[in-house]
Amino acid sequence: MFQQAHHISFDLPGWLEPYSQDYMPGTDLKSRMDFVISASRKNVEEGTGGPFAAAIFEIETGELVSLGVNLVMTQGMSFLHAEIVALAVAQRKLGCYDLGEVTATRYELLSSTEPCAMCLGAIPWSGIRQVVTAARDEDARAIGFDEGAKPENWIQSLKSRDINVLADIERESARSVLQLYNLQEGHIYNAE
């Protein structure tokens, strides 16, 4: 007899909360990106997931709303990319699926790597007003990840929806995390 799951949940790594508590809010974009990239590195070093991290911040104040890391392998769910985790945690925390309607506060998504096709699809419906990325799609593909069929003009497609995009912020630092994961022979979990 068929039995449907009644509840789906996932667990965040134990180190994530203490790590987040050390964040000092600020308006310096590079500092916020360094925080996100360091989380991606810690995710690799702790063996809690893939080499990706993302966070939601208040644009004007730099206040941290949520931090997500890639949990695909450790939680056994293909959609648990860092961006999706960060968005889910922020939406649950703020009690709203549309972060553009919560308050007058504007939110941004910082990601250690450009969003893949799935994460790119989630961004317009999340309500965030800015996307900031570090490593490029080609950097993730260089170590074997399949980023999906993403339009070449993805930045323009977001901008046409009034979502600002800033790319290549601390790119080399983020690339070094991808290379670390590759050197440690981290699992490249593309669908077969």
Side-chain angles (χ1 to χ4, degrees), residues 72-120:
V72 170
M73 293 300 296
T74 56
Q75 296 292 308
M77 290 183 250
S78 63
F79 64 91
L80 289 181
H81 290 201
E83 296 92 335
I84 301 299
V85 172
L87 287 167
V89 172
Q91 291 165 343
R92 181 57 51 98
K93 179 178 176 178
L94 297 174
C96 186
Y97 71 90
D98 182 354
L99 300 179
E101 292 188 358
V102 175
T103 64
T105 304
R106 296 182 324 130
Y107 297 99
E108 66 185 352
L109 168 70
L110 270 71
S111 182
S112 63
T113 304
E114 282 182 16
C116 69
M118 176 182 68
C119 296
L120 178 64

Side-chain angles (χ1 to χ4, degrees), residues 9-21:
S9 64
F10 59 90
D11 296 316
L12 299 173
W15 60 264
L16 200 69
E17 179 67 23
Y19 177 84
S20 298
Q21 295 300 320

Side-chain angles (χ1 to χ4, degrees), residues 139-147 182 188-190:
D139 300 327
R141 289 180 192 273
I143 67 165
F145 281 103
D146 178 356
E147 296 297 278
N182 194 38
I188 305 297
Y189 45 82
N190 298 325

Side-chain angles (χ1 to χ4, degrees), residues 3-168:
Q3 193 164 7
Q4 178 68 36
H6 298 283
H7 181 77
I8 296 174
S9 64
F10 59 90
D11 296 316
L12 299 173
W15 60 264
L16 200 69
E17 179 67 23
Y19 177 84
S20 298
Q21 295 300 320
D22 289 340
Y23 172 73
M24 298 299 295
T27 58
D28 179 53
L29 187 59
K30 287 186 178 188
S31 294
R32 291 196 302 274
M33 184 57 83
D34 287 341
F35 170 78
V36 170
I37 293 168
S38 292
S40 70
R41 179 173 279 108
K42 189 158 181 69
N43 204 38
V44 171
E45 292 170 350
E46 295 288 329
T48 49
F52 308 101
I56 306 297
F57 295 94
E58 292 182 6
I59 293 174
E60 284 76 21
T61 66
E63 286 287 332
L64 176 65
V65 177
S66 67
L67 175 63
V69 292
N70 179 282
L71 302 171
V72 170
M73 293 300 296
T74 56
Q75 296 292 308
M77 290 183 250
S78 63
F79 64 91
L80 289 181
H81 290 201
E83 296 92 335
I84 301 299
V85 172
L87 287 167
V89 172
Q91 291 165 343
R92 181 57 51 98
K93 179 178 176 178
L94 297 174
C96 186
Y97 71 90
D98 182 354
L99 300 179
E101 292 188 358
V102 175
T103 64
T105 304
R106 296 182 324 130
Y107 297 99
E108 66 185 352
L109 168 70
L110 270 71
S111 182
S112 63
T113 304
E114 282 182 16
C116 69
M118 176 182 68
C119 296
L120 178 64
I123 289 170
W125 289 278
S126 69
I128 59 169
R129 304 310 329 147
Q130 179 163 272
V131 174
V132 183
T133 65
R136 293 182 183 175
D137 178 277
E138 65 199 56
D139 300 327
R141 289 180 192 273
I143 67 165
F145 281 103
D146 178 356
E147 296 297 278
K150 192 167 75 174
E152 286 185 39
N153 62 347
W154 70 272
I155 291 175
Q156 187 54 43
S157 71
L158 290 180
K159 287 183 177 184
S160 72
R161 293 174 173 259
D162 295 323
I163 300 170
N164 189 43
V165 179
L166 302 169
D168 295 337

